[in-house]
Structure formats: structure tokens, C-alpha cells
Amino acid sequence: FSDSAFPMAWRRLTALPRMSLRALPAVSLGVNIVNVKRVACSSANKEDEKPADKQADYWISGVSQGCNKTLPCTFDLYGGVMVDPATVPAEQDAFRTILASSLDEWMKRGKQGVWLRLDISAAALVPIAISEFGFEYHHAERDYVMMTKWLPSNCPNTLPHNASHTIGVGALVTNSEGKILLAREKSGPAARSKVWKIPTGLVDAGEDLHEAALREVKEETGIDATFEYCGAFTMSHGGNLAHANKSNLFFVVKCKALTTEIQLCESEIADARWFSKEEWLTRMEKGSIWYELNQSALDAEAVVSMKSLPWGRSRPGVSRLFFCPVRRSAL
């Protein structure tokens, strides 16, 4: 197809029923769809094509739809190659062949790090990538494993390590009477110590601090709340059994209750109640880090406010949250 004819031809193909598409003869479109073969690499099939997503363009130098020698992939601005996991062959010999030729081609182009994601359905390919091609584990999620390979032999591996920190948040919630929401957990170290504590939890990926705080309050106690400001934070190292050898940043967030009727998360929380400030103080160990953290959100003269600011001209339409200390009286 010529360049001008390609869009119309593609629309005709995609409009056909699935059974009709299977019956079509192989045609050379340069893309990998059902019964359509890849064509030989050309300059238009390398890094000349830019990503359609303007935000992704901030990190990416180009994309390749692949060919009979290379896997479809994305090229980042650090010389990295990110293989498209949806196009990895499931058949082991086909995987060996295309991965070997892809690595050879990327080395010729001067690429450095290769990121290979294998979904759980392709688990049988993991030993091949490791033992035959020298890939290493980078990280894993519930449905995939990410592996990496450093291509240059004349310079050190500079690929970033897996995430080294978790982010925790605690919500100090007060109601219209100034009472503080505390809970007792059913399991874990806090449950064994039988301590009353503010609702806490880990911040999920893609979630902001205040969003995580409000979510934890709602999940654990059923209380709806609104964010006011941030208090202090602390840092610890070593992790726990689930996050061994990781570091943790823990922030305290001040929230105001919008509702007061407590509805316990029965799988996690043994009890939750509203305590007066005086009652709360009797349960806190003065001078401890937890006392100071909670006080930073309750009575401190200076707190941390939050506002959204634009990134700047290099990334139009992108904004980030800006955290800045202010006098509490100024809020």
C-alpha cells in the first residue's frame, strides 16, 4: 500500500468480521495483526515515529512497530529499549529467535538497557530469557515480571534499581467537637500492643498523600473526611516482612470529619472511637516520635499546605502538587 492508501485499507480490514479476517491472504502492512506478516526493517520502522501521547513524548525518543528481525518496542531518552509485552511470541523457539535477533540489532544501534516484561501467561519464557540471554529480574507485580539486560560491555550498568521506598500515611481526624478518631487494629504489631492509633496505611501507586489518608479513614472507620493540611514526617529503614530491606517515609495528615457515625472494617479493625484531646494525651508516650508526629498535625504553629502548580512550558497541561510550610493561622 502507498502512504495515502494505508488508512483506507486499514479501515477496511478492521471493519471486517473476525472470521473474515482469518480468511484473508497475508499482506505486508508492517504491523503485527492476525495473519499479517512483518516486513523487513526500514528507516520508517525504527525510531523516526514519535509517540502519539504528548506527555509520553517527554520521556520517549521514538517507537518501532517491529519487523522480521526485531520486536516492537519503545525507545527512551536514555538509550533504553522497552519491549511491547503484547507482541512477545508465546512459542518458545519463536521467542528465542526474535529475541536473539532483536538484541543483536539493538546492540548495532548503540542501545544500552533492554526492559522485557513477561506477563504471567508467558511465564515459561522467563527461564529462557535468564539462562540463555542473560536477563536479570528487576521487579514483579501480581500479573507480570519485569527483567532487564545491559547491552554495553565497555561501561557500567546504569539502569535504575527497583523502587526502594514505600510511602505511609496517617490521618489525624477531628470532628466538630474537637474529638480525635482513634482505632485498634485486629492484627499486626499495633494489635499485639493493644494501642489506640490514628488510621494509617500505605499510599497506592498514582495516589496523592491526602487521597490515601481520606481513603484509609473511610475504609477503616466508615468516616467521610476532608483534607486540611500536612504535619511532619519520619523516615525508617529495613522494611517489614512484606517489604524487606526497603525504606519507608511516613506522613501525618490533618483531616476534618464530615460524618461522625463509625462503621468498622471488621476484617481489619477491632474497635474505633472518638476521644477527647485529654483522653488522647493520656494514651500517648510524650517525647516519643509518634507523639511528636501527631502533635505536628494537631497543635503545631507551622504546618504544610498543599496546592497544585503547573510544570512549566516544557510540559503544558501537566501540574504537580506543591507542599510548603505555612503558619496554621494563615490557612
Side-chain angles (χ1 to χ4, degrees):
F1 295 101
S2 67
D3 291 341
S4 60
F6 180 83
M8 181 61 71
W10 177 252
R11 285 195 293 271
R12 289 172 179 170
L13 278 176
T14 54
L16 290 173
R18 188 178 297 271
M19 291 302 295
S20 300
L21 185 59
R22 290 196 184 103
L24 286 173
V27 292
S28 298
L29 296 178
V31 293
N32 187 24
I33 61 174
V34 178
N35 204 30
V36 177
K37 64 185 180 181
R38 293 174 181 160
V39 298
C41 290
S42 66
S43 59
N45 208 22
K46 296 181 182 178
E47 295 184 57
D48 299 332
E49 184 177 348
K50 297 296 182 181
D53 185 349
K54 291 184 177 179
Q55 301 308 330
D57 188 43
Y58 184 80
W59 305 102
I60 293 171
S61 65
V63 295
S64 171
Q65 295 183 7
C67 61
N68 58 356
K69 293 196 298 181
T70 59
L71 288 160
C73 61
T74 300
F75 302 102
D76 66 28
L77 292 171
Y78 302 94
V81 179
M82 292 161 283
V83 177
D84 181 355
T87 64
V88 174
E91 202 277 319
Q92 295 185 18
D93 286 339
F95 174 69
R96 285 187 178 94
T97 301
I98 192 66
L99 184 58
S101 60
S102 295
L103 292 174
D104 182 63
E105 185 69 20
W106 294 329
M107 289 182 69
K108 290 178 181 177
R109 298 187 199 177
K111 296 303 175 185
Q112 295 186 320
V114 179
W115 298 81
L116 176 63
R117 167 178 163 164
L118 293 178
D119 293 336
I120 196 168
S121 59
L125 304 179
V126 172
I128 298 174
I130 292 174
S131 61
E132 299 182 27
F133 294 95
F135 277 83
E136 299 176 341
Y137 291 122
H138 187 269
H139 68 271
E141 295 292 345
R142 291 183 177 183
D143 56 350
Y144 74 87
V145 60
M146 179 68 78
M147 294 181 291
T148 60
K149 180 177 175 62
W150 184 252
L151 297 180
S153 59
N154 58 351
C155 59
N157 186 341
T158 58
L159 291 176
H161 296 296
N162 184 22
S164 58
H165 289 66
T166 57
I167 307 295
V169 64
L172 199 151
V173 184
T174 57
N175 62 14
S176 59
E177 299 176 354
K179 291 186 176 182
I180 302 166
L181 180 65
L182 300 177
R184 285 179 59 183
E185 297 182 347
K186 276 191 173 181
S187 59
R192 183 170 59 185
S193 302
K194 298 181 180 180
V195 299
W196 288 88
K197 55 185 283 295
I198 62 176
T200 60
L202 290 177
V203 180
D204 292 334
E207 189 176 40
D208 289 316
L209 281 176
H210 67 290
E211 294 172 337
L214 298 178
R215 172 181 55 77
E216 288 291 345
V217 171
K218 181 67 174 179
E219 289 177 355
E220 293 187 3
T221 68
I223 297 294
D224 292 314
T226 184
F227 168 79
E228 291 188 276
Y229 51 81
C230 294
F233 71 94
T234 184
M235 188 173 187
S236 60
H237 307 285
N240 52 28
L241 296 179
H243 303 101
N245 302 317
K246 301 295 183 182
S247 297
N248 174 264
L249 289 165
F250 181 82
F251 296 81
V252 174
V253 172
K254 176 65 173 63
C255 304
K256 181 170 66 176
L258 300 176
T259 60
T260 57
E261 183 179 351
I262 295 173
Q263 298 177 355
L264 297 181
C265 174
E266 295 183 356
S267 62
E268 296 183 19
I269 304 301
D271 197 1
R273 303 176 193 173
W274 293 101
F275 289 83
S276 68
K277 182 178 177 181
E278 292 71 26
E279 292 173 321
W280 170 76
L281 286 173
T282 64
R283 299 176 183 276
M284 295 297 296
E285 182 183 352
K286 289 188 177 181
S288 70
I289 190 168
W290 304 112
Y291 175 86
E292 296 297 338
L293 280 169
N294 288 325
Q295 283 290 96
S296 74
L298 191 63
D299 287 332
E301 293 184 5
V303 295
V304 179
S305 69
M306 177 187 74
K307 61 181 177 180
S308 180
L309 294 176
W311 180 285
R313 286 191 296 269
S314 64
R315 299 186 74 182
V318 176
S319 61
R320 295 279 292 272
L321 289 178
F322 175 71
F323 297 87
C324 181
V326 297
R327 288 191 176 274
R328 187 151 59 106
S329 59
L331 293 177

